[in-house]
Amino acid sequence: MSAFSAIGEEREIDREEFTPTLEPQATWCPGCGDFGVLKALKQAMPEIGRNPDEVLLVTGIGCSGKLNSYFECYGYHSIHGRSLPIARAAKLANPELEVIAAGGDGDGYGIGGNHFMHTARENHDMTYIVFDNEIFGLTKGQTSPTSPKGHKSKTQPHGSAKDPIRPLSLALTSGASYVARTAAVNPNQAKEILVEAMQHDGFAHVDFLTQCPTWNKDARQYVPYIDINDSEDYEHDPTDKAAAQEMASEAERGLYEGEVLTGRFYVDSDRPSYSEEKQAIGEMPEEPLAERYFDDDYEWERTHDMLLDRHK
Amino acid sequence: MTDHELMWRIAGGSGDGIASTSQNFAKALMRAGLHVFTHRHYPSRIRGGHTYTEVRADSEPVRSRGDGYNCLLALGDSFARNPKEGAYYGDEEVKPLAENLDELNEGGVIVYDTGLLDADDIPDFEERVEENDWHVYPLNLREIARDHGREVMRNTAGVGATAALLGIDLQYFEELMAESMPEDILEPNKEILHYTHDMVTEEFEFTHDLRVPEGTHDEEQVLLSGSDTIAYGAIDEGCRFIAGYPMTPWTEVFTIMSQALPEVGGISEQVEDEIAAAALALGASHAGVKAMSGSSGGGFALMSEPLGLAEMSETPVVLVEAMRAGPSTGLPTKPEQADLEHVLYTSQGDSNRVVLAPGTVAEAYEQSRLAFQLAYGYNIPAILLYDQKIGGELMNVPASHFDREPNPELGAVTTEAELEEAPHGPGGKFYRYRYDAEDGVSPRSIPGQKGGHFLVTGNEHNQAGHIDEDPTNRVTQVERRASKLDAIREFLDDQGTQTHMGPEEADYGLITFGSQQGTVAEAVDRLNDAGHSVKGIGVSDMMPYPVEEMTEFLESVDEALVVEMNSSGQFRGLTQKELGRFGEKLSSLLKYNGEPFEPAEIVAGFEASIEGQDVPEQQTTYVPAAGD
Ligand SMILES: Cc1ncc(C[n+]2csc(CCOP(=O)(O)OP(=O)(O)O)c2C)c(N)n1
Ligand code: SF4
């Protein structure tokens, strides 16, 4: 019997399994876009057939990081900006887990920007949801890396002099093999995209537009969005990287001008995931490493037998 | 120290093969039955710059670099092979000869390469040779190497020459060469080795007394560095995941692990920075794998926040901190013990961590294993604190020392069967952080285990892992986490982790931690031989601190001298803080010039502290006891 028998268990999964029985002491404001992510995620779980004991959800710090308090599974509410390195190591240790990382735009594109680039580059098989509300929520409304140029806040009283980060383009150039944007105002598309992202075998980046009614009433996240995959105005082929790049720039420009483009921008199903690459060069075992610690028959090597000769 | 011990120094430029030649030299002597110990000195430069390695060899076990040295092989020039690039400090051309003269003992032997070095460039060379009774053997090693092979084989010629002068059997060198060289390089090297050996034997009249000592050990030995033993301890303890970012001297452990882990189905990750590295180790550990990370000062500073998360979330992990001289990037290639306080107290909140500091290369193996046992047994981060000295020095250790069973035990985790019995809160959530945990240790579940999901958070949390700011919960959890350290202290006391030196009863004490242990042990013996009454203790447990054992030690002596490589007496400070007294009994002997202590410096420092003698002119500092 596997030490991790929750993994791969075949049964009907009810989305309510992911709802904590205890109301969390947390903390989201009424009308917060984060509820939209939560709802979409819960709806997606039964479709991918994963139960709470086989899902590891690693979050950073921020209002977004509180997702763990609302979502029942193996949760890891970590530190600001560091959800990705924790998540990707867990995936390497046990590739059979469903690993999801989540955090805010400050968390993911600011303090954790370096990890974002590198995790995308490595193409770990995991889903990364960024709650993009263009503001620092939890620390009370400071300018974030996705706030528009000129955005005024208590820490940027004269308006930000910086151009915003372009998360979709960044994900694409860094090497993410699945890049999408969706919005809390459209739970149906959001759910579909999350299902796809989780089923995707590689690094799936979802820039999730969420509204922060408390600190960022000006953001465009409320306006009707256009689904590039459905819209007749856009004939977008998400397998074409150059087209994806163009569409991403368009979406990133349009966002601050009131035209919210969402959908799947890029899907590369051929690129091997990082674990597959590591296994191919002999740097990672085929069997989940974590299983080995529960296998009484495993013969553990010792340095006395395998390494000391070279020192004699 | 015996009269006939050999302390051989090979000097040249970085890139001249000083490290590999000295390593083979040490190995050859070890195979000849000698105890060996190496000390490495190198600048923070990749090519060029003056560098040397000492190999001390004796019939008796060797515990330190010794005082000075007695045989010099000045091999290259400090330009390495880039002489056009102007040197930025004087005498570059003759440095391997000139720079090393100060520490060469009376009666010492000098072999130098006249093909590269000109003794006439050293103004007072002749006088100093005369004054110190040195025996000089100038040899054109460069020409010999060129004529019989290639110029880069100068080191082989140098080894052949010293082997002749010291009476070392060439067989050991030949065997080592045969093991590591392809045929086309092996042949010319062998020829050079023999040619130089025979030429020196025939052409020179040996005026010196120094000969290689008699080899005595009959047990199979291995030549290892502290970086090797730390890595091997980790592997034997079931560590199969490492994440890191290069920084001297931690890079050595990282490299050894990265090469070994794929062989055993483990995983090594070089990642974008040290924050990521520590976070990866946490992620892997959380998912059920024994994991480690590490760095040196600046990189470890970046790990401060993940370290705190490991404490709060009780995620087991082993971090190694390889100290080099600071602050900031300091002296990148030189040892110091000044990160002790950094490692003890970095990260926010009260510290709940284990900090161990191995005292020797052999001990580093045990402490590395111990670090994993404690981390995983108690769900707490454990830090292995060592320095560039232990990390890089090579020592012979009996191979049998490593003949032990592996220990893959994952420690305080539940199985699925246990999860069924384990307490669960309302709503069925597993109580990961139980209030009533024995020894403070509440077992964890591993993602993927059925019925085991819980929330890890760096926020204060209740039994189920939910964020919780209730004051009673807060106090209960703080106290439970802290109580683990008491349990660990008890466990460590049973292991006898501190190293006692000298007689059981003595008037005076020498106290040290980490890499100075061997040198202090040698000083203790010398002091007793000289009629003093001294005992010593090498402390390896920094947190939790061995309060009882140290109290006993300090009560039993009149005064004690704390020996450490930093300028602020950090270990002495820790001792006083932990014991809450003894300030009037403790004085400090400090060294922070980038070189480790020599035993004679400790002897002199002791005499100065106890007998009020002047501290002799050397780069150590004596700080008297409080109120003195
Ligand atoms: C190292 C560190 N720096 C700063 C903080 C304070 N902090 C907490 S959340 C946050 C910003 C959160 O903004 P964002 O990531 O956009 O998430 P949101 O709250 O909007 O969901 C900051 C700066 C912290 N916890 N850790
Ligand atoms: S502050 Fe903004 S982001 Fe945070 S919970 Fe409130 S509405 Fe949501």
Side-chain angles (χ1 to χ4, degrees):
Chain A
M1 197 189 81
S2 159
F4 303 114
S5 68
I7 296 178
E9 196 188 13
E10 300 233 356
R11 62 175 174 84
E12 273 299 280
I13 312 266
D14 187 307
R15 71 188 167 116
E16 280 317 306
E17 290 181 47
F18 294 89
T19 305
T21 17
L22 285 182
E23 243 334 277
Q25 285 191 9
T27 68
W28 289 337
C29 311
C32 175
D34 294 3
F35 287 110
V37 187
L38 176 68
K39 189 170 170 204
L41 190 60
K42 275 195 206 166
Q43 282 178 333
M45 296 321 292
E47 286 200 29
I48 62 153
R50 295 289 218 162
N51 69 68
D53 282 331
E54 59 183 326
V55 178
L56 177 63
L57 170 64
V58 187
T59 57
I61 297 294
C63 297
S64 46
K66 298 283 173 74
L67 177 65
N68 275 127
S69 300
Y70 291 93
F71 190 82
E72 197 71 43
C73 69
Y74 276 97
Y76 205 122
H77 176 240
S78 64
I79 37 181
H80 198 37
R82 317 299 166 200
S83 63
L84 287 174
I86 293 176
R88 68 198 212 215
K91 186 74 189 179
L92 290 170
N94 192 348
E96 293 182 352
L97 293 171
E98 181 66 41
V99 176
I100 306 166
D105 38 83
D107 187 273
Y109 306 144
I111 190 165
N114 194 24
H115 308 312
F116 177 48
M117 255 163 44
H118 286 274
T119 312
R121 156 170 98 106
E122 290 167 6
N123 198 33
H124 290 268
D125 179 15
M126 54 190 274
T127 301
Y128 183 38
I129 308 168
V130 182
F131 295 53
D132 189 355
N133 56 14
E134 297 176 17
I135 200 89
F136 280 16
L138 194 68
T139 45
K140 304 195 171 173
Q142 297 81 8
T143 306
S144 101
T146 50
S147 304
K149 191 168 180 180
H151 178 265
K152 283 192 180 162
S153 69
K154 286 189 185 147
T155 50
Q156 304 268 249
H158 306 289
S160 166
K162 301 176 196 184
D163 263 335
I165 279 271
R166 298 168 175 279
L168 304 172
S169 302
L170 190 59
L172 278 167
T173 35
S174 303
S177 54
Y178 182 97
V179 179
R181 167 176 274 172
T182 187
V185 291
N186 195 297
N188 291 335
Q189 185 205 42
K191 184 206 78 180
E192 265 174 44
I193 284 197
L194 288 181
V195 169
E196 260 185 35
M198 285 190 273
Q199 283 170 345
H200 175 75
D201 184 17
F203 185 69
H205 169 235
V206 181
D207 186 67
F208 207 123
L209 301 176
T210 55
Q211 64 274 16
C212 173
T214 305
W215 305 113
N216 200 14
K217 293 189 174 54
D218 301 337
R220 302 280 174 177
Q221 273 84 338
Y222 303 101
V223 306
Y225 74 92
I226 300 162
D227 185 336
I228 54 165
N229 307 114
D230 284 349
S231 167
E232 285 177 8
D233 296 342
Y234 299 92
E235 266 177 39
H236 179 56
D237 173 8
T239 62
D240 178 345
K241 191 157 187 178
Q245 241 137 5
E246 217 165 283
M247 188 59 81
S249 325
E250 173 116 10
E252 282 158 341
R253 207 173 31 245
L255 180 64
Y256 301 103
E257 290 159 9
E259 191 184 45
V260 180
L261 301 184
T262 64
R264 44 196 86 59
F265 289 79
Y266 184 58
V267 183
D268 178 356
S269 322
D270 296 332
R271 187 175 165 200
S273 73
Y274 188 59
S275 301
E276 286 163 350
E277 300 270 21
K278 284 226 20 134
Q279 283 168 347
I281 58 165
E283 282 199 348
M284 184 172 158
E286 300 286 332
E287 296 297 311
L289 200 44
E291 283 272 5
R292 197 186 295 174
Y293 292 86
F294 293 90
D295 179 356
D296 293 337
D297 298 328
Y298 186 80
E299 296 251 346
W300 289 83
E301 297 89 343
R302 36 176 223 160
T303 56
H304 185 267
D305 307 323
M306 57 176 223
L307 292 171
L308 281 196
D309 269 351
R310 71 183 70 154
H311 301 282
K312 283 175 184 164
Chain B
M1 184 177 58
T2 56
D3 291 342
H4 289 295
E5 82 180 339
L6 170 65
M7 292 188 282
W8 180 79
R9 182 184 283 195
I10 179 171
S14 304
D16 269 343
I18 303 297
S20 58
T21 309
S22 60
Q23 197 165 330
N24 272 339
F25 194 83
K27 214 183 227 187
L29 294 183
M30 178 182 83
R31 287 185 178 185
L34 287 154
H35 293 275
V36 291
F37 186 101
T38 71
H39 165 66
R40 211 155 49 121
H41 170 106
Y42 62 108
S44 185
R45 251 173 96 171
I46 304 306
R47 288 226 156 240
H50 173 243
T51 164
Y52 67 76
T53 302
E54 273 172 27
V55 179
R56 186 180 181 194
D58 200 326
S59 318
E60 305 291 316
V62 194
R63 293 169 294 185
S64 81
R65 61 184 289 201
D67 308 313
Y69 71 100
N70 55 21
C71 181
L72 173 67
L73 171 59
L75 192 64
D77 54 37
S78 295
F79 285 123
R81 270 156 295 286
N82 202 1
K84 268 188 242 142
E85 199 189 85
Y88 41 81
Y89 43 174
D91 277 350
E92 200 75 11
E93 265 171 89
V94 283
K95 239 178 174 175
L97 189 52
E99 278 277 299
N100 293 290
L101 296 179
D102 288 347
E103 288 119 46
L104 180 59
N105 295 343
E106 225 179 83
V109 177
I110 299 175
V111 180
Y112 73 94
D113 186 354
T114 56
L116 284 160
L117 304 165
D118 190 352
D120 292 343
D121 287 347
I122 305 168
D124 51 356
F125 187 66
E126 287 303 326
E127 291 138 55
R128 292 181 73 178
V129 167
E130 192 119 326
E131 231 170 75
N132 290 292
D133 184 28
W134 289 331
H135 304 262
V136 187
Y137 301 91
L139 278 164
N140 198 332
L141 302 172
R142 186 188 197 181
E143 196 176 272
I144 296 172
R146 199 193 300 135
D147 291 351
H148 296 265
R150 299 216 323 265
E151 205 180 290
V152 288
M153 297 169 183
R154 281 177 295 137
N155 48 7
T156 306
V159 169
T162 32
L165 291 167
L166 301 174
I168 309 171
D169 198 330
L170 288 187
Q171 155 211 342
Y172 300 107
F173 298 110
E174 272 184 278
E175 278 170 16
L176 278 165
M177 284 159 117
E179 286 165 27
S180 62
M181 292 174 179
E183 196 63 24
D184 55 327
I185 303 185
L186 177 65
E187 281 315 314
N189 268 294
K190 262 163 75 175
E191 192 188 319
I192 291 169
L193 185 74
H194 281 276
Y195 175 85
T196 326
H197 179 274
D198 297 348
M199 189 204 85
V200 170
T201 314
E202 279 158 30
E203 287 190 11
F204 286 95
E205 195 184 315
F206 294 179
T207 56
H208 59 280
D209 294 333
L210 184 69
R211 296 291 182 276
V212 72
E214 194 72 29
T216 53
H217 57 67
D218 40 22
E219 223 199 302
E220 187 168 46
Q221 305 284 317
V222 282
L223 188 68
L224 293 164
S225 70
S227 298
D228 291 319
T229 53
I230 287 169
Y232 293 179
I235 291 168
D236 285 348
E237 210 51 38
C239 172
R240 291 295 182 270
F241 187 97
I242 192 168
Y245 190 84
M247 185 167 186
T248 305
W250 132 265
T251 311
E252 288 178 358
V253 169
F254 185 34
T255 307
I256 297 164
M257 291 294 282
S258 299
Q259 288 173 6
L261 280 185
E263 307 279 305
V264 295
I267 297 174
S268 165
E269 279 284 284
Q270 181 182 319
V271 295
E272 58 271 29
D273 59 36
E274 287 86 350
I275 309 177
L280 263 100
L282 288 188
S285 170
H286 180 65
V289 169
K290 283 189 167 176
M292 77 192 287
S293 183
S295 191
S296 295
F300 191 80
L302 293 183
M303 296 183 166
S304 171
E305 215 196 357
L307 171 63
L309 176 62
E311 293 182 355
M312 186 48 128
S313 66
E314 302 176 59
T315 308
V317 69
V318 173
L319 301 178
V320 303
E321 215 266 36
M323 291 182 278
R324 64 193 215 186
S328 194
T329 31
L331 300 173
T333 63
K334 305 286 172 63
E336 198 167 84
Q337 297 179 296
D339 294 352
L340 174 61
E341 289 179 351
H342 175 52
V343 163
L344 285 171
Y345 309 123
T346 186
S347 193
Q348 62 273 45
D350 293 320
S351 303
N352 290 307
R353 69 193 65 163
V354 174
V355 181
L356 303 177
T360 63
V361 166
E363 226 179 81
Y365 174 77
E366 267 118 35
Q367 303 268 326
S368 174
R369 295 195 66 156
L370 199 52
F372 279 92
Q373 281 163 33
L374 296 173
Y376 283 80
Y378 293 85
N379 287 337
I380 194 169
I383 300 163
L384 206 56
L385 178 68
Y386 67 109
D387 62 53
Q388 190 268 356
K389 175 180 180 300
I390 284 203
E393 73 197 4
L394 295 166
M395 265 183 95
N396 64 298
V397 182
S400 61
H401 185 80
F402 305 94
D403 188 3
R404 309 186 202 184
E405 286 311 304
N407 176 31
E409 279 304 307
L410 208 48
V413 297
T414 57
T415 59
E416 290 195 341
E418 286 161 348
L419 267 174
E420 279 178 27
E421 306 294 316
H424 286 67
K429 197 153 179 163
F430 166 55
Y431 269 177
R432 160 68 181 89
Y433 302 101
R434 299 170 56 169
Y435 293 150
D436 61 349
E438 197 186 327
D439 285 343
V441 187
S442 185
R444 60 194 180 122
S445 56
I446 307 292
Q449 282 184 331
K450 198 169 175 165
H453 70 258
F454 67 98
L455 177 61
V456 174
T457 170
N459 286 47
E460 188 57 273
H461 43 266
N462 59 25
Q463 301 194 89
H466 280 301
I467 295 173
D468 196 324
E469 299 188 348
D470 173 70
T472 310
N473 172 70
R474 164 70 179 171
V475 170
T476 310
Q477 294 290 21
V478 167
E479 289 178 354
R480 181 181 58 74
R481 287 191 294 267
S483 73
K484 291 198 248 180
L485 283 172
D486 300 330
I488 292 170
R489 181 68 268 151
E490 256 178 59
F491 174 82
L492 285 172
D493 282 340
D494 287 343
Q495 308 286 308
T497 36
Q498 276 50 252
T499 305
H500 292 265
M501 316 154 191
E504 244 168 65
E505 301 289 327
D507 298 341
Y508 297 103
L510 279 178
I511 300 176
T512 195
F513 85 103
S515 68
Q516 302 313 294
Q517 185 175 299
T519 320
V520 168
E522 193 169 334
V524 167
D525 286 352
R526 283 200 210 173
L527 285 164
N528 284 303
D529 287 348
H532 293 287
S533 168
V534 187
K535 63 181 182 177
I537 187 164
V539 183
S540 53
D541 308 349
M542 303 292 108
M543 187 185 286
Y545 192 83
V547 172
E548 245 177 71
E549 196 169 341
M550 287 305 284
T551 302
E552 249 170 58
F553 183 92
L554 281 170
E555 277 176 344
S556 76
V557 294
D558 296 339
E559 281 177 51
L561 183 66
V562 188
V563 179
E564 56 188 310
M565 276 194 294
N566 59 56
S567 69
S568 54
Q570 297 185 13
F571 182 57
R572 172 181 165 181
L574 174 67
T575 300
Q576 267 173 248
K577 171 180 171 283
E578 289 285 344
L579 305 186
R581 58 196 176 107
F582 297 118
E584 73 298 343
K585 271 194 185 180
L586 297 174
S587 44
S588 280
L589 188 66
L590 308 171
K591 192 172 180 187
Y592 41 89
N593 68 351
E595 289 287 326
F597 279 99
E598 295 185 0
E601 290 172 330
I602 298 175
V603 168
F606 175 86
E607 284 171 345
S609 85
I610 301 305
E611 298 179 346
Q613 292 178 6
D614 286 344
V615 184
E617 231 182 88
Q618 57 190 6
Q619 291 200 7
T620 58
T621 301
Y622 172 64
V623 184
D628 211 316

